[in-house]
Amino acid sequence: MSALLSVQDLRVRFRTMGPIKALAIGTKAPFIDAVCGVSFEIHKGETLALVGESGSGKSTIARTIIGLQRAVSGSISFDGQELTELSAAERKPYLRRMAMTFQDPIGSLSPRLTVRSLLTEPFRIHGLKDRDAGAEATRLLRMVGLPADFVGRYPHRLSGGQARRVSIARALALNPDLIIADEPTAGLDVSVQGEVLNLLTRLQDELGIAILIITHNLNVVRHITDRMAIMYLGRFIEVGSTERIFHQPRHPYTEALLAANPEPDPDAVINRIELMGDVPSLMRRPSGCEFHTRCRYAQDICSHVFPEPTASREDAHHSFKCHFPLERETPMRLEQRRLSLAGPLRK
Ligand code: SF4
């Protein structure tokens, strides 16, 4: 089955200073590479998570897919159509089939618009004037479990969970094939996080939507994603099925992220792994393995030889970039992790 979304060797670069200043200080490279050769695919009905610390490039990938950011090179293909070769007007019908929910749901909803206007704005933007706005708003509210009388509310009268549901309803307005959810549970308490995740999985099951989740919350990843990609300084450093990576992370950075994830069981044995130092600046990337400045397993070779992707012996779809991949399984209690969010969650 061909992929719904295929991203191949994507590179995104930001200019750090204007050409005159760069000339004045004699730098030839006034850029930072925010995304460096990232490749992945998402199939219909599948959920993929991009995981990483702030600044790892995951949101930049999302913004590039929906056309808010320009790629330096690489391919973004949606339903078989290469998007990077299209003009803005030619791309519009494809972008209509993708929707994004943003990290701060209240902040991303215009404070001057009612819920009804917010939900029907996508129809106006895409020139679908024949839609019955009232009926559509009610339909969308019902899909996300909110009462119809919310149509007259303004964003400041919504709780964080309600605003999140409204932003999901808005994303559903044009019947997308793909939803990109940027930190879908940020700022929500644990029980509301569970409700939002259940909503996303229910909608996915009912509508067959593919979901790309951008998050640093590994409980979210564990509960609703099929596959995950761990990012560090704009690169994928480990990719595979969520089950496999939680069971046996091969990259030391993944191991540290999993160990830092809040453990819901007060009796669980917690093996915290302290990462040394801070995330390096994108302007001064370490040589060799870019994680070597923080890795407790680093050896000489790590500081000068870049590790190429290696496929796991047990699972060819699980790959990682490390000269000395971990061999042991994690002692994590997956069943207990599943209980950390309220409500029945999809395995
Ligand atoms: Fe650590 Fe070396 Fe592996 Fe990089 S290549 S993650 S420094 S062990």
Side-chain angles (χ1 to χ4, degrees):
M1 187 172 60
S2 61
L4 176 67
L5 174 73
S6 173
V7 173
Q8 299 300 324
D9 202 19
L10 184 71
R11 293 172 191 276
V12 182
R13 169 176 273 195
F14 295 126
R15 182 177 274 280
T16 54
M17 63 185 78
I20 295 173
K21 184 173 178 189
L23 202 63
I25 66 171
T27 178
K28 290 182 185 160
F31 303 99
I32 53 168
D33 291 310
V35 177
C36 310
V38 158
S39 302
F40 64 92
E41 293 184 341
I42 305 180
H43 293 83
K44 190 171 168 15
E46 187 183 32
T47 306
L48 170 72
L50 302 184
V51 182
E53 292 169 282
S54 182
S56 59
K58 50 194 193 307
S59 293
T60 303
I61 293 175
R63 292 172 61 81
T64 309
I65 292 169
I66 62 167
L68 295 177
Q69 183 67 48
R70 188 182 288 269
V72 173
S73 63
S75 157
I76 301 172
S77 163
F78 186 78
D79 205 7
Q81 173 63 53
E82 177 57 49
L83 299 186
T84 56
E85 295 167 352
L86 301 182
S87 67
E90 290 169 332
R91 217 180 301 149
K92 217 170 167 186
Y94 296 95
L95 295 182
R96 218 170 98 173
R97 296 170 58 193
M98 307 179 201
M100 184 159 174
T101 65
F102 293 90
Q103 210 175 120
D104 171 11
I106 294 180
S108 66
L109 299 174
S110 172
R112 292 192 304 277
L113 297 182
T114 61
V115 166
R116 173 184 158 132
S117 297
L118 289 165
L119 295 182
T120 53
E121 194 177 35
F123 302 130
R124 291 193 294 279
I125 291 171
H126 288 275
L128 303 171
K129 294 179 184 145
D130 56 336
R131 302 292 180 102
D132 178 339
E136 290 290 351
T138 305
R139 176 182 71 87
L140 292 165
L141 284 173
R142 197 172 294 134
M143 285 177 83
V144 297
L146 288 175
D149 61 8
F150 269 50
V151 287
R153 292 203 186 188
Y154 286 88
H156 70 271
R157 288 194 52 222
L158 301 173
S159 69
Q162 289 164 349
R164 185 69 67 183
R165 283 173 186 266
V166 168
S167 68
I168 293 171
R170 184 182 152 98
L172 293 170
L174 299 174
N175 299 322
D177 295 305
L178 171 71
I179 288 182
I180 301 175
D182 193 356
E183 297 288 3
T185 59
L188 303 178
D189 68 38
V190 173
S191 64
V192 183
Q193 286 182 22
E195 290 171 15
V196 169
L197 295 181
N198 284 335
L199 171 64
L200 282 174
T201 52
R202 177 174 63 75
L203 292 171
Q204 185 177 44
D205 288 344
E206 289 173 3
L207 306 174
I209 301 170
I211 302 180
L212 176 63
I213 289 190
I214 313 291
T215 189
H216 65 276
N217 184 336
L218 286 164
N219 281 323
V220 171
V221 176
R222 178 65 190 87
H223 287 296
I224 73 165
T225 67
D226 305 302
R227 290 186 299 123
M228 62 193 288
I230 313 288
M231 293 196 72
Y232 192 74
L233 296 184
R235 298 183 203 277
F236 284 177
I237 50 101
E238 183 157 11
V239 183
S241 80
T242 303
E243 196 70 43
R244 162 71 54 192
I245 291 181
F246 268 77
H247 180 62
Q248 188 177 23
R250 305 299 303 274
H251 196 286
Y253 180 59
T254 311
E255 179 196 48
L257 287 184
L258 294 181
N261 197 34
E263 177 53 70
D265 176 13
D267 299 326
V269 177
I270 298 172
N271 296 314
R272 295 253 181 261
I273 298 172
E274 292 291 329
L275 284 174
M276 296 183 283
D278 296 322
V279 181
S281 162
L282 287 172
M283 299 181 77
R284 285 183 296 278
R285 288 176 174 275
S287 57
C289 170
E290 293 173 336
F291 186 59
H292 83 262
T293 55
R294 306 173 76 196
C295 181
R296 61 183 184 152
Y297 306 107
Q299 299 190 32
D300 279 353
I301 186 177
C302 302
S303 62
H304 56 271
V305 178
F306 185 84
E308 295 300 330
T310 307
S312 158
R313 286 186 302 275
E314 297 82 10
D315 177 356
H317 298 294
H318 179 196
S319 70
F320 39 85
K321 292 175 185 162
C322 177
H323 295 303
F324 306 102
L326 306 170
E327 294 294 338
R328 64 187 174 283
E329 297 177 355
T330 56
M332 301 179 73
R333 301 181 182 191
L334 299 184
E335 287 304 323
Q336 286 160 350
R337 284 187 184 287
R338 282 187 201 113
L339 298 175
S340 66
L341 294 166
L345 289 157
R346 193 176 72 172
K347 184 179 172 186

